[in-house]
Amino acid sequence: MTTELDHPFIGKYLRPEVMPHVMCPGCGNMSIANAFIRAVDKLYGSFENFVFVSGIGCAAWIPSPHFLADTVHVLHGRPIPVATGIKLANPNLQVVVISGDGDLAAIGGNHLFHAARRNIDILVILVNNYNYGMTGGQLAPTTPLGARTITTPYGNPEEPFDLAELMVHAGANYVARWTIIHTLQLESSFKKALQMEGFRFIEVLSPCPTRYIRWNLEKYEQLLEFYKNNTIYVNIARKKGVEEGKIVIGEFIVRDRPGYIRRYSELRKKAIDLWRREKE
Amino acid sequence: MSEFVSVSEIFPPGKYLLMGNEAAGIAALLANCKFFAGYPITPSSEIMNFMARYLPLVGGTFIQMEDEIGSIMAIIGASWAGLRAMTATSGPGFSLMQEGIGYAVMTETPLVLIDVMRVGPGTGQATKAAQGDVMQVRWGRHGDQEIIAIAPSSAQEMLDLTIKAFNLADQFRVPVILIPDEIVGHAEEIVRVPSEDEVKIIERKEPESVADPHFGGDGIKIASFPTLGKGFNVLVTGSTHNEKGYRKTQDPEVHRRLAWHIVNKIRKNRDKIVSFSIEGDADANIGIVAYGSVYRAALEAIQIGREKGLKISVFRPITLWPSPDRELRKFAENLDFIIVPELNTGMYVLEVERITRDIVPVYQLNKIGGGIPIYPEEIIDCIIKITKVK
């Protein structure tokens, strides 16, 4: 008989000591982990050379403590500057940030925009659950207009961020958005992004069954139906426009601007040449 | 031969006229610091400007971050990836970095930070000297902890003590914070720059086997440092964690063990960390406790005092934290009183009182506003007043 602990990823990519994982029933977080590990398994066959950085919140727990790899679980909002320091200090490492929308786009928003602007060579996977799940389901900068949360019991009066569009304009080399029902597309996106340089951003919509959905939908299943019927691919959306309430998914941009690492190593060479020439 | 330039090529050993902030920059290069992240702020910016110019030459990396929070977190990341890393800031920036410093304490991350003290609170007087951060450096964060704080008093010490700070940080896996006041950071003085060979570097130890702990310990021995990317599968977290980094936030015993370790590794190793100096008359009956630029005034006060028949001895804590408490107690034994001049409304005097108040009376001399130094004559005047009252 197989038990739930028998899985080819456990012991290779996931720490047996922390299985079964701690995510709530219906949470999309481990589906994202699954898609990510499948991508890594097909490309590299191991987590060797990977460093995962995450902040505070449910999504931050995807890598820490679950991933059998180097994982750095940092302060609320600060995974991106820590990842920046790690990547600059050892450019051979594949540095991946996995964290939530509150962590990366609210308290850590400043770092997110600037990391995209400077095109630092890290992959950021932003798990958007529309609210602060871990602290009890409060309003996030991604909560849809009108949606109810524990701090917007009469409906959200604020417009949410469109993070994928924001990252396109901030200068990221790769931007995609998927939902947790698009696991195959998500896996391909991970594969593509892992092999690129510069700043790469993948937003995954993975609403919180324990907090957000309870306030806004009668049944969890409605969410999956909603995703099936209300998502529209970005190329179609750009041609035909987007109806109110539809979610745009797909690859928003693929660029090949040099990453910060390449630019800085060129700068270093230039600085040394200049210094030697001045000395002569 | 390396494609990079060596530090001694850029700064051949010898004497230079340097600002304290520049001397700290040279020290960082000599100490093999290869990463600096910072954000502009007066009066510490010269350190960052210096690193932006010279770090690329020696093969290091400089990055100007979007804020001070980003700066402290980036050096934490770089430190975990195996580099000696540093940042520099002042007043408001130092306040912003406090949470990051607490994270570094909890994760036992070696790093060096220079806080060039300016007048506060708030934006205060950005270009003026103060000594108002000497308690913040010790108590500015939430939770139980110890850090190492060093107060240089000259440009030469900015160099010597910055090198020392890197060694202490790696040895004890703790943030080491230098807190020169603006006068020490900006005053230009003759500094002897040593050769790279003269600089003693204490390397980080890496775990020898997979069984080795990554964190914590008995409060005396420090766990070896499991650098990222070397196959240790290290779990770094700012939450309460066990010796392998697993979060144990519901376990009081694990928290007790960890918190006492991060406190005791400084307290119990204080003999290896604490430094101080004593100058003046061996048979003195008057003591001055001073640090930073005020220490320089106190030294001059000894001479002026002699001319007036006063016998003065100056005790200077070099490590403000941990404080040289036993040594200061011994210093206080034969004195009539101690005076503590500071560029604040009375901060380190509280520590001096804690240590010596059952032995001698402790008086304070305070000057704030405008960044005007405490002059030696003012210390003498104050001593004379106290002598008359007594």
Side-chain angles (χ1 to χ4, degrees):
Chain A
M1 207 185 99
T2 58
T3 69
E4 61 179 324
L5 292 179
D6 285 333
H7 190 285
F9 291 166
I10 297 176
K12 190 174 180 191
Y13 294 103
L14 298 169
R15 293 179 189 261
E17 305 91 310
V18 294
M19 290 292 129
H21 63 75
V22 296
M23 304 298 173
C24 301
C27 173
N29 284 357
M30 289 322 256
S31 306
I32 299 165
N34 195 341
F36 182 80
I37 295 171
R38 282 202 312 270
V40 170
D41 198 46
K42 283 171 193 163
L43 283 178
Y44 311 106
S46 90
F47 268 159
E48 201 185 320
N49 248 13
F50 273 84
V51 173
F52 297 93
V53 190
S54 62
I56 298 298
C58 299
W61 282 46
I62 295 173
S64 172
H66 297 106
F67 285 7
L68 184 51
D70 285 338
T71 58
V72 189
H73 176 242
V74 306
L75 294 175
H76 194 23
R78 315 304 165 204
I80 288 176
V82 174
T84 300
I86 293 169
K87 183 67 188 181
L88 291 176
N90 184 354
N92 298 321
L93 297 174
Q94 174 78 264
V95 182
V96 181
V97 168
I98 306 180
S99 222
D101 49 310
D103 192 65
L104 296 175
I107 186 168
N110 201 21
H111 309 305
L112 180 66
F113 314 141
H114 286 279
R117 173 182 63 78
R118 61 170 74 97
N119 210 15
I120 179 76
D121 306 64
I122 59 173
L123 166 59
V124 172
I125 300 168
L126 183 145
V127 180
N128 179 355
N129 67 354
Y130 291 162
N131 78 144
Y132 286 79
M134 194 173 265
T135 47
Q138 292 86 356
L139 170 78
T142 47
T143 307
L145 183 69
R148 294 173 69 222
T149 68
I150 203 159
T151 51
T152 52
Y154 312 109
N156 175 18
E158 301 179 8
E159 288 282 351
F161 268 142
D162 184 335
L163 291 172
E165 287 293 355
L166 206 58
M167 288 297 97
V168 169
H169 294 288
N173 255 3
Y174 180 83
V175 177
R177 179 194 285 137
W178 303 103
T179 81
I180 50 156
I181 68 165
H182 299 91
T183 49
L184 293 177
Q185 293 92 327
L186 188 57
E187 184 187 324
S188 316
S189 247
F190 286 148
K191 271 194 232 159
K192 189 166 180 176
L194 282 170
Q195 297 175 85
M196 289 174 64
E197 71 174 277
F199 186 80
R200 293 140 287 155
F201 178 83
I202 299 174
E203 179 184 359
V204 194
L205 304 184
S206 166
C208 172
T210 307
R211 309 287 186 203
Y212 181 79
I213 292 172
R214 221 165 34 181
W215 279 85
N216 293 285
L217 295 173
E218 279 174 22
K219 280 187 183 163
Y220 180 70
E221 292 78 354
Q222 289 175 321
L223 177 81
L224 304 180
E225 283 295 318
F226 177 80
Y227 279 161
K228 225 164 94 186
N229 302 326
N230 286 281
T231 43
I232 174 169
Y233 274 83
V234 61
N235 47 341
I236 299 169
R238 279 183 185 152
K239 263 183 234 155
K240 297 186 177 170
V242 190
E243 284 170 53
E244 186 78 24
K246 294 267 183 191
I247 296 166
V248 182
I249 55 165
E251 282 183 343
F252 283 62
I253 201 140
V254 183
R255 290 182 177 121
D256 62 354
R257 291 179 183 163
Y260 189 93
I261 295 290
R262 187 139 57 104
R263 286 219 165 112
Y264 198 84
S265 79
E266 282 161 12
L267 172 154
R268 219 186 255 132
K269 280 196 197 93
K270 186 178 155 191
I272 292 166
D273 285 350
L274 204 67
W275 189 85
R276 292 210 191 278
R277 246 183 293 142
E278 270 175 17
K279 221 192 159 199
E280 272 162 20
Chain B
M1 206 190 113
S2 159
E3 55 168 316
F4 303 125
V5 184
S6 75
V7 185
S8 291
E9 270 182 277
I10 308 172
F11 298 102
K15 286 184 177 169
Y16 292 78
L17 179 64
L18 294 172
M19 199 185 271
N21 284 348
E22 293 166 335
I26 296 177
L29 299 182
L30 285 168
N32 201 29
C33 168
K34 285 288 193 289
F35 188 84
F36 186 102
Y39 186 84
I41 189 163
T42 305
S44 75
S45 294
E46 295 84 7
I47 302 174
M48 179 170 81
N49 304 348
F50 180 96
M51 297 306 266
R53 181 169 179 193
Y54 293 107
L55 256 187
L57 298 178
V58 299
T61 303
F62 165 86
I63 186 167
Q64 185 172 321
M65 294 299 286
E66 49 275 11
D67 55 30
E68 284 90 348
I69 300 171
S71 306
I72 184 88
M73 297 317 285
I75 69 165
I76 289 170
S79 180
W80 272 100
L83 297 187
R84 283 190 155 186
M86 178 170 99
T87 187
T89 190
S90 296
F94 190 50
S95 296
L96 281 175
M97 289 184 181
Q98 293 300 324
E99 192 190 10
I101 297 166
Y103 177 83
V105 169
M106 192 61 159
T107 52
E108 300 185 69
T109 307
L111 58 86
V112 172
L113 190 160
I114 304 180
D115 167 38
V116 185
M117 289 189 284
R118 70 187 227 184
V119 175
T123 310
Q125 293 166 301
T127 60
K128 308 294 185 190
Q131 294 179 319
D133 304 353
V134 295
M135 282 295 171
Q136 185 188 20
V137 73
R138 170 70 184 85
W139 300 109
R141 302 153 297 278
H142 57 283
D144 297 294
Q145 57 191 280
E146 293 275 351
I147 49 92
I148 298 173
I150 300 173
S153 67
S154 65
Q156 183 69 54
E157 284 187 354
M158 285 290 274
L159 187 140
D160 299 340
L161 295 175
T162 300
I163 293 171
K164 186 178 174 177
F166 277 100
N167 283 337
L168 287 170
D170 277 345
Q171 237 178 314
F172 295 99
R173 286 185 60 176
V174 72
V176 179
I177 304 169
L178 289 118
I179 43 170
D181 51 72
E182 180 272 343
I183 296 169
V184 176
H186 278 164
E188 293 194 8
E189 297 185 276
I190 300 291
V191 175
R192 197 189 79 84
V193 174
S195 71
E196 283 171 287
D197 303 335
E198 283 174 71
V199 174
K200 191 179 146 222
I201 289 175
I202 302 171
E203 305 274 355
R204 287 182 196 174
K205 276 183 294 180
E206 279 196 353
E208 285 166 6
S209 88
V210 286
D212 286 2
H214 292 167
F215 302 94
D218 56 7
I220 299 171
K221 196 175 173 297
I222 317 294
S224 306
F225 189 82
T227 309
L228 299 176
K230 300 211 168 171
F232 293 116
N233 287 335
V234 58
L235 275 163
V236 185
T237 178
S239 299
T240 290
H241 50 273
N242 69 14
E243 286 73 4
K244 277 293 185 192
Y246 283 95
R247 282 200 290 284
K248 298 283 174 194
T249 57
Q250 305 302 315
D251 189 332
E253 181 46 38
V254 171
H255 184 79
R256 271 197 288 272
R257 218 159 60 217
L258 177 62
W260 277 115
H261 171 73
I262 61 179
V263 165
N264 279 339
K265 72 178 180 184
I266 304 302
R267 290 186 188 168
K268 291 189 179 173
N269 286 303
R270 54 93 67 201
D271 287 348
K272 294 178 188 156
I273 300 168
V274 160
S275 72
F276 66 98
S277 67
I278 297 174
E279 295 283 335
D281 300 328
D283 57 345
N285 62 329
I286 299 160
I288 302 173
V289 177
Y291 54 91
S293 66
V294 181
Y295 166 67
R296 306 283 290 272
L299 282 184
E300 278 193 53
I302 298 171
Q303 196 50 48
I304 299 170
R306 271 183 202 139
E307 288 157 17
K308 294 179 189 287
L310 300 167
K311 288 182 186 293
I312 300 171
S313 184
V314 176
F315 184 97
R316 190 233 331 203
I318 297 170
T319 50
L320 292 186
W321 309 104
S323 62
D325 47 5
R326 285 174 214 159
E327 295 79 2
L328 180 56
R329 249 186 108 74
K330 195 159 174 287
F331 169 80
E333 269 167 12
N334 299 315
L335 299 175
D336 292 341
F337 64 91
I338 287 176
I339 174 169
V340 185
E342 289 180 276
L343 293 172
N344 57 41
T345 54
M347 291 191 183
Y348 204 72
V349 67
L350 298 172
E351 178 70 358
V352 177
E353 276 178 359
R354 182 185 74 80
I355 296 164
T356 62
R357 70 178 156 202
D358 59 329
I359 309 176
V360 287
V362 178
Y363 298 90
Q364 62 187 69
L365 169 60
N366 308 106
K367 197 166 181 182
I368 58 165
I372 309 155
I374 292 178
Y375 297 103
E377 295 77 9
E378 290 177 294
I379 300 176
I380 293 298
D381 287 350
C382 188
I383 287 171
I384 290 168
K385 262 186 223 161
I386 295 165
T387 318
K388 279 180 186 159
V389 172
K390 283 174 77 80

